[in-house]
Structures are given as structure tokens and as C-alpha cells.
């Protein structure tokens, strides 16, 4: 057998081994998929009862009511370029996975709206789960995110026009 | 291409280690990784799900084999192939103007962009050096431990 064919055969066997290993290790997850879970979203809603996905209209209503802490899970640079007015920047990455202490002081039943860039970005879900782990029980993830907010022509703020973006610190 | 045996051993350890690490992170959170794949908007929900289950294990196995010096060139072929795919995917993503997390190392918030491509190109160079070496180390009985002696 030529060397090239031997190398290719090794690579193919590694691929097959990966398929078999994944199938063996993830039997429960595959069964759940076969039952119809994860067809709409990979979010395991059952594990996080306090987290709910919301659409633009609900996000806008909550924001206009002004009783909700709006949290932007994107990186600081993206937040500075533009964000939902009054939103607070709590990057899902780069902060060691910690929630700011003052935010942790907020009542656990307070409604929190979390968003990130949009297009099924992950940051808002990561932050939402972290908040859920801290005991918050009314976390609403605005899936459309910043992209949808902007496209809808809703008010925007930048770091300059909105101070530090820390107007709403999540406390009552 | 580098032919020095010590350098090639170092390449194998670095590249193998990176792939084991990247694979392990993703294998621990398959649903997060599935979402990352879905965000590229190239394959559907089902394929994203199954790719998220298999890809991490392919990375782990190829990395382990590369480190161990077993089927070294086969493992290097897998890793190089994956890197070529990742680079092409990132380029297409940038051209399409998608602003998404790359999903390279699990759920770490990192955009699919130029830095990811440069990083992948550097790893691809290491992979191709190992792939193009004359004779697999395992054939000559020069596995990782022996090469260190």
C-alpha cells in the first residue's frame, strides 16, 4: 500500500473512531434529539426555568416601561459603538465569568433583559445562564439582539451619549 | 518545510495539545458548540447538532495520536484538513458580513475574523510540516518518548 493511501486510511479510521466515540458518549443527548428536542433551539429550557426567550416587541415594551435592567452581553468595544439606551454592559467574556457585585445585590425576582449582537449570538445565553446560576429567576433573552433593535429604528446610545453605559445598574 | 526531528516533535506536542484542549472544551458543552456551528448559517439544525457531537472527538483523537506519535501523519492530515476547512469557513463568514463568535475554543466570545485566520494558518503550517515529514515516526520506532531521548 502506498504511503499516501496509508495516511488517508489512518485519517479515515480516526474519523470513524470520532463518530463512534461521540455516539457512545452522547447517547442520552442523541435520544433527546431523536425525540424532537433541539429542533428549534439548542437551549435546554428545562434546565433553566427562569430564562425565557423574547421577541423585539416584548423587549421594547419592557425597556419603555423602565422597570427592567437591560444587560448588554457583548464585548466593551461593541457596546461603546452603540447599545440600547440605559443598558448596562456586562460582557459574557473577558471578566472571568463573574457578575459585578452591585448587580448581584439586586432582588432575585427582578426582571432582567439580556441581549447580544443578534443572529443567535451566544453571549446573551451565557450571561443569562450565569445570572440564573446566581439565583435570578426572571431573565428574558432578547434573541434578535442589537442587530434587530437597530434595524427596527429604535433609539440608540453610544458610550459618549449615554455616559459610561452604567446608568442602570440593575438595582431597584 | 522543517525537517529537524526535535522541531517536528515540538510541533506535534504544541499542535496536538491545542487540539486536545479545543476539542475537550467543546466536547463538554456540545449544545453551545452546536449553536456556534448553527450561527455560521451554512448547515441546518440537525447537521449542526451531529457535527457538534463528532468534531470535538475528532479533534481530541487526532491531537492525542499526534502527541503520542501513533499514526502521526494520519492525525496530521485530519488536523490540517480541519484547519483548511476552518480557514475557508472564516473567510466565507467574513465575506458574508456575519458578526458571530468563531466557536474555536468553546463558548469564549471571539469573533470569526482575521486573527482567527492567522492563528489557523500558523497551526496549518505546523500540521503540514508534520504531514510532509519523510516516513512516519511510528514506522521507525521514534515515538514521542523515544524522540526525547
Amino acid at each position: 500500500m502506498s504511503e499516501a493511501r496509508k495516511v488517508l486510511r489512518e485519517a479515515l479510521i480516526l474519523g470513524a473512531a470520532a463518530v463512534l466515540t461521540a455516539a457512545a458518549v452522547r447517547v442520552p443527548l442523541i435520544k433527546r434529539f431523536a425525540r424532537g428536542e433541539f429542533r428549534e433551539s439548542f437551549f435546554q429550557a428545562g434546565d433553566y426555568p427562569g430564562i425565557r426567550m423574547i421577541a423585539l416587541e416584548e423587549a421594547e415594551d419592557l425597556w419603555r416601561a423602565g422597570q427592567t435592567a437591560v444587560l448588554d452581553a457583548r464585548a466593551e468595544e461593541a457596546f461603546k459603538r452603540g447599545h440600547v439606551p440605559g443598558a448596562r454592559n456586562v460582557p459574557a467574556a473577558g471578566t472571568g465569568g463573574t457578575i459585578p457585585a452591585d448587580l448581584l445585590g439586586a432582588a432575585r425576582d427582578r426582571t432582567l433583559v439580556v441581549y447580544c449582537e443578534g443572529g443567535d449570538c451566544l453571549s446573551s445565553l451565557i450571561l443569562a445562564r450565569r445570572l440564573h446560576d446566581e439565583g435570578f429567576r426572571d431573565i428574558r433573552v432578547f434573541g434578535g439582539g442589537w442587530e434587530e433593535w437597530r434595524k427596527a429604528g429604535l433609539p440608540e446610545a453610544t458610550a459618549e451619549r449615554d455616559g459610561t453605559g452604567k446608568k442602570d445598574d440593575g438595582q431597584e | 518545510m522543517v525537517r529537524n526531528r526535535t522541531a517536528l516533535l515540538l510541533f506535534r506536542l504544541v499542535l496536538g495539545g491545542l487540539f486536545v484542549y479545543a476539542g475537550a472544551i467543546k466536547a463538554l458543552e456540545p449544545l453551545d458548540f452546536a449553536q456556534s456551528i448553527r450561527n455560521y448559517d451554512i448547515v441546518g439544525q440537525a447537521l449542526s447538532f451531529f457535527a457538534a457531537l463528532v468534531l470535538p472527538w475528532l479533534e481530541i483523537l487526532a491531537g492525542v495520536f499526534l502527541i503520542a506519535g501513533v499514526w502521526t501523519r494520519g492525525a496530521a492530515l485530519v488536523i490540517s484538513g480541519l484547519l483548511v476547512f476552518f480557514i475557508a469557513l472564516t473567510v466565507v463568514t467574513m465575506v458574508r458580513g456575519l458578526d458571530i463568535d468563531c466557536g474555536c475554543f468553546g463558548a469564549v466570545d471571539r469573533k470569526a475574523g482575521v486573527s482567527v485566520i492567522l492563528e489557523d494558518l500558523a497551526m496549518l503550517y505546523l500540521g503540514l510540516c508534520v504531514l510532509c515529514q519523510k516516513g512516519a515516526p511510528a514506522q521507525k520506532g521514534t515515538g514521542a518518548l523515544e524522540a526525547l531521548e
Side-chain angles (χ1 to χ4, degrees), chain A residues 3 7 10-11 13-15 17-18 21-22 26 29-30 33 38-42 44 93 117 120 122-123 126 129, chain B residues 27-28 30-32 34-36 39 45-46 49-50 53 57-58 61 71 73-75 77-78 99 101 107 109 139:
Chain A
E3 185 64 22
V7 171
E10 291 171 0
I13 293 174
L14 280 174
T21 309
R26 291 295 176 188
L29 209 58
I30 293 170
F33 185 82
F38 315 128
R39 297 296 165 91
E40 298 293 326
S41 162
F42 290 114
Q44 299 183 80
E117 192 62 36
D120 296 328
L122 273 179
S123 315
I126 293 168
R129 275 185 278 186
Chain B
L28 287 173
L31 293 178
D32 282 349
Q35 187 62 60
S36 292
N39 291 349
Q45 198 78 357
F49 177 76
F50 287 109
L53 297 190
W57 286 104
L58 188 58
L61 287 174
W71 287 2
R73 296 178 72 193
L77 178 63
V78 169
D99 187 17
D101 295 334
D109 196 5
Q139 280 181 316

Side-chain angles (χ1 to χ4, degrees), chain B residues 81-105:
Chain B
L82 285 174
L83 286 167
V84 169
F85 174 69
F86 294 155
I87 291 166
L89 189 63
T90 310
V91 169
V92 169
T93 302
M94 289 174 69
V95 169
R96 292 169 70 202
L98 295 180
D99 187 17
I100 56 172
D101 295 334
C102 71
C104 323
F105 289 93

Side-chain angles (χ1 to χ4, degrees), chain B residues 8 17-20 27-28 56 89 93 109 111 116 119 130 136 145:
Chain B
L8 287 171
L18 279 171
F19 265 73
V20 170
L28 287 173
L89 189 63
T93 302
D109 196 5
K111 298 292 173 199
V116 171
E119 195 177 89
V130 176
L145 293 175

Side-chain angles (χ1 to χ4, degrees), chain A residues 6-19, chain B residues 15 19 54-66 70-86 123-124 127-128 130-131:
Chain A
K6 181 176 171 295
V7 171
L8 190 61
R9 190 192 64 177
E10 291 171 0
L12 289 174
I13 293 174
L14 280 174
V19 173
Chain B
L15 192 58
F19 265 73
V54 174
L55 262 178
W57 286 104
L58 188 58
E59 292 182 348
I60 291 171
L61 287 174
V64 167
F65 274 61
L66 202 63
V70 180
W71 287 2
T72 313
R73 296 178 72 193
L77 178 63
V78 169
I79 287 177
S80 301
L82 285 174
L83 286 167
V84 169
F85 174 69
F86 294 155
M123 286 194 282
L124 180 60
L128 290 177
V130 176
L131 179 62

